[in-house]
Structure formats: C-alpha cells, structure tokens
C-alpha cells in the first residue's frame, strides 16, 4: 500500500537534489540553466563509475564506519608491492625502460 508513496517520495528527493545541483552549477560557473542541465545529464552514471573504480568508499553509514573504511583503504594503498605488482606499476615500467636503454647503450659501447 505504501509503495507508490515511497516511490514518489524517492523520486521527489532525487528531483530536488538534481535541481539543487543544477542551481549550484549555474552559480559556480555562471552558465545558463540549459548548459547546466546538459552537463549534469552528460555525466557518466554512478554505477559505471563504481564498476570502473579501483577503490570505492561508501559514506552512507556512520562516521565510525567511514573512518574504518578509510583506514582499510590507506592500509591497502600504503602496503609494499610484491614483484608482480611492482613490474605492472608505472615505477616498474619506468625501471624496465631505463634498464633496457642502459643495456642497449652498454652493448653498443662494448661492441664498438
């Protein structure tokens, strides 16, 4: 019995947030309402962003829940990399490139 009213309430809250975001964007960037709506509507859906993200922090719980999630993320990103992770990282790729260039230069110097 309450589902239609709950659905309407949720829709109205989403609409209010969308309008609030549109007004905030218009004020911040001094753009027209049409430009602000186009920019908001052109954004990637949140589900796609979540699926493409390496790390997602859900801030819908308590402050303690949020702090715990942040602590876990910080622990994960600060831990030392294993060798496979290192060679797949930017730093590892750069190290490999420098090693190859130095090796080629040494080989050329020795072969002459």
């Amino acid at each position: 019995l309450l589902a239609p009213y709950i659905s309407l309430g949720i829709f109205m809250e989403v609409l209010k947030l969308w309008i609030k975001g549109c007004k905030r964007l218009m004020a911040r960037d001094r753009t027209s309402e049409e430009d602000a709506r186009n920019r908001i509507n052109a954004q990637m859906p949140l589900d796609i962003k979540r699926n493409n993200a390496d790390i997602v922090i859900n801030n819908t719980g308590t402050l303690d829940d949020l702090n715990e999630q942040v602590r876990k993320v910080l622990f994960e990103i600060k831990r030392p990399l294993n060798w496979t992770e290192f060679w797949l990282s930017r730093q590892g790729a750069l190290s490999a490139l420098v090693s190859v260039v130095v090796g080629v230069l040494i080989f050329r110097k020795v072969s002459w």
Side-chain angles (χ1 to χ4, degrees), residues 51-68:
N51 290 337
N52 291 332
D54 293 326
I55 298 170
V56 176
I57 297 177
N58 181 350
N59 66 350
T60 59
T62 66
L63 187 56
D64 290 335
D65 294 338
L66 180 61
N67 285 331
E68 181 61 27

Side-chain angles (χ1 to χ4, degrees), residues 8-70:
L8 179 62
I10 292 171
F11 174 76
M12 293 304 290
E13 287 301 313
V14 169
L15 183 62
K16 285 180 196 175
L17 290 172
W18 187 85
I19 291 171
K20 184 178 178 182
C22 190
K23 288 181 180 177
R24 187 175 61 85
L25 187 61
M26 288 168 51
R28 186 191 72 192
D29 295 349
R30 296 187 177 109
T31 61
S32 69
E33 186 175 347
E34 182 181 353
D35 287 341
R37 283 183 182 170
N38 289 338
R39 286 184 62 188
I40 289 173
N41 290 333
Q43 291 182 5
M44 184 186 304
L46 194 55
D47 289 340
I48 294 175
K49 289 179 184 179
R50 260 191 226 108
N51 290 337
N52 291 332
D54 293 326
I55 298 170
V56 176
I57 297 177
N58 181 350
N59 66 350
T60 59
T62 66
L63 187 56
D64 290 335
D65 294 338
L66 180 61
N67 285 331
E68 181 61 27
Q69 286 184 64
V70 169

Side-chain angles (χ1 to χ4, degrees), residues 89-104:
S89 71
R90 288 184 187 157
Q91 186 179 2
L94 182 60
S95 298
L97 177 64
V98 168
S99 298
V100 168
V101 169
V102 168
V104 168

